[in-house]
Amino acid sequence: ARGGKDAVELVDFESATDRVIGGLEKKNKVMNPEEKKLVAYHEAGHAVVGWFLEHADPLLKVTIIPRGAAALGYAQYLPKEVALYNPDQLLDRMCMALGGRAAEQIFFDKISTGASDDLKRVSQMAYAQVGIYGFNSRVGQVSFQQDEGDNQFQKPYSEATAQIIDEEVRAMIDKAYERTVKVLAAHKDQCEALALTLLEKETINHDVIVDVLGKRPFDSDAYQDYLKNTKKQQEDFERELESLNKDGGDAEANEEDDKKDNKKKEEGDDLQAGLAMKSE
C-alpha cells in the first residue's frame, strides 16, 4: 500500500526485514558528504574483515541509509548455528566488530564516535573470555560470572585479580585490532571499492558484494544453503510473476474478444430492429 502497488513483491519482504532489523528508514535525516563518506568506509571495513575471516558471519547486505534512533548504517549477516565458541572463533568476531574503527584509521587517519557500539560488544566479548570462559592463561581456569540479582558492586575477586583482568582484556583487544588493521591493509583496494559502491548505491546486496570482493574464501553449510535457497526463491518468484503476467494478458485478450462479440451483437440487434421498422 505504501508503494502504491497492486501486489506484494520480493523487494517488499526485504524492506520489511530491514525495518525489523535496523528500524525505520530516516528519510529526513540528511548526512553531509563527509559524514556519508565516513559511514561508507566504516561499513565497508566491517564487511571486508568479515568476508576474509573464516569464523566471521557471512555478509548478506550492507547499507548506509540512516535507520532507527542512531544507526547511520548497518550490515546484515547470516549468523552461524553455533552453540559453542572457541577462542579463534571469538577472535574473528572481535576483529569483524573492529573493522569499522580500523577502516576509519586507515583511510582518514582519524577516528569517530561511530564505533561506540562496536567497542562495547568487543569489550563484552573480551571480558567474557578472560573472566567467565577461562580462556586466559594468566587468570586461569576460573569463572567470575555473576548471576542476575547479585550485588554488582561487590566483585567475587580481589583488586589484584581485577587489575590482571583489565590488563589481559586490553591486551586481547589490542591484539585483535592489530590483526584487523593487517587484514584491511591486505585488502585495502577492495575495501575502497566497496565503500565507493556504497556511496553510489547506498544499499548493496550479496551479489554486488561478491562482484566487488570476489567469492568468499570460506563456505559454511549454512552459507551454501542460503545461496541455494535465495537462488531458488528468486527463480520461483520470476516464474510466478511470468505466470501472473501471462494470465493477465490472457484475461485482457478474452476481455477484448468479449467486447468485440458484444459490439457485433449490438450491431446485429440494431440491424434487426431497423428491418422490423421498415416492414411495418
Side-chain angles (χ1 to χ4, degrees), residues 263-277:
K263 187 175 181 181
K264 289 180 181 179
K265 184 179 180 182
E266 289 174 359
E267 290 175 352
D269 292 341
D270 292 341
L271 180 61
Q272 290 181 359
L275 292 173
M277 290 178 65

Side-chain angles (χ1 to χ4, degrees), residues 160-205:
T161 301
Q163 184 175 349
I164 293 174
I165 291 175
D166 289 341
E167 291 173 356
E168 292 301 307
V169 165
R170 285 191 178 92
M172 182 180 292
I173 294 175
D174 289 344
K175 177 184 175 183
Y177 188 73
E178 289 175 7
R179 183 168 180 251
T180 303
V181 170
K182 287 181 180 178
V183 172
L184 276 180
H187 301 282
K188 186 176 180 179
D189 292 341
Q190 290 161 299
C191 184
E192 186 164 25
L194 190 65
L196 294 175
T197 305
L198 265 174
L199 285 171
E200 178 187 353
K201 301 178 180 293
E202 292 192 331
T203 299
I204 54 178
N205 59 22

Side-chain angles (χ1 to χ4, degrees), residues 132-234:
I132 296 177
Y133 302 139
F135 284 172
N136 184 265
S137 58
R138 189 177 173 195
V139 175
Q141 308 294 325
V142 293
S143 178
F144 299 116
Q145 184 170 10
Q146 292 181 272
D147 296 328
E148 189 175 348
D150 289 350
N151 186 356
Q152 299 297 317
F153 295 99
Q154 184 175 357
K155 302 299 182 182
Y157 44 80
S158 65
E159 289 295 328
T161 301
Q163 184 175 349
I164 293 174
I165 291 175
D166 289 341
E167 291 173 356
E168 292 301 307
V169 165
R170 285 191 178 92
M172 182 180 292
I173 294 175
D174 289 344
K175 177 184 175 183
Y177 188 73
E178 289 175 7
R179 183 168 180 251
T180 303
V181 170
K182 287 181 180 178
V183 172
L184 276 180
H187 301 282
K188 186 176 180 179
D189 292 341
Q190 290 161 299
C191 184
E192 186 164 25
L194 190 65
L196 294 175
T197 305
L198 265 174
L199 285 171
E200 178 187 353
K201 301 178 180 293
E202 292 192 331
T203 299
I204 54 178
N205 59 22
H206 177 267
D207 292 336
V208 177
I209 296 168
V210 172
D211 290 339
V212 176
L213 301 182
K215 184 180 177 182
R216 191 168 188 263
F218 312 103
D219 290 340
S220 64
D221 293 338
Y223 181 61
Q224 288 299 323
D225 289 342
Y226 168 80
L227 295 181
K228 292 177 183 177
N229 291 335
T230 302
K231 184 178 181 181
K232 184 177 182 299
Q233 288 174 359
Q234 185 65 31

Side-chain angles (χ1 to χ4, degrees), residues 4 13 33 48 77-78 80 88 116 126 144 169 228 249 265 273-274:
F13 288 101
V48 170
Y77 300 90
L78 179 67
K80 298 178 182 177
D88 291 338
S116 58
F144 299 116
V169 165
K228 292 177 183 177
K265 184 179 180 182

Side-chain angles (χ1 to χ4, degrees), residues 50-65:
W51 196 257
F52 292 104
L53 290 182
E54 181 177 4
H55 302 298
D57 294 333
L59 181 66
L60 302 181
K61 187 177 191 178
V62 60
T63 180
I64 56 173
I65 297 176

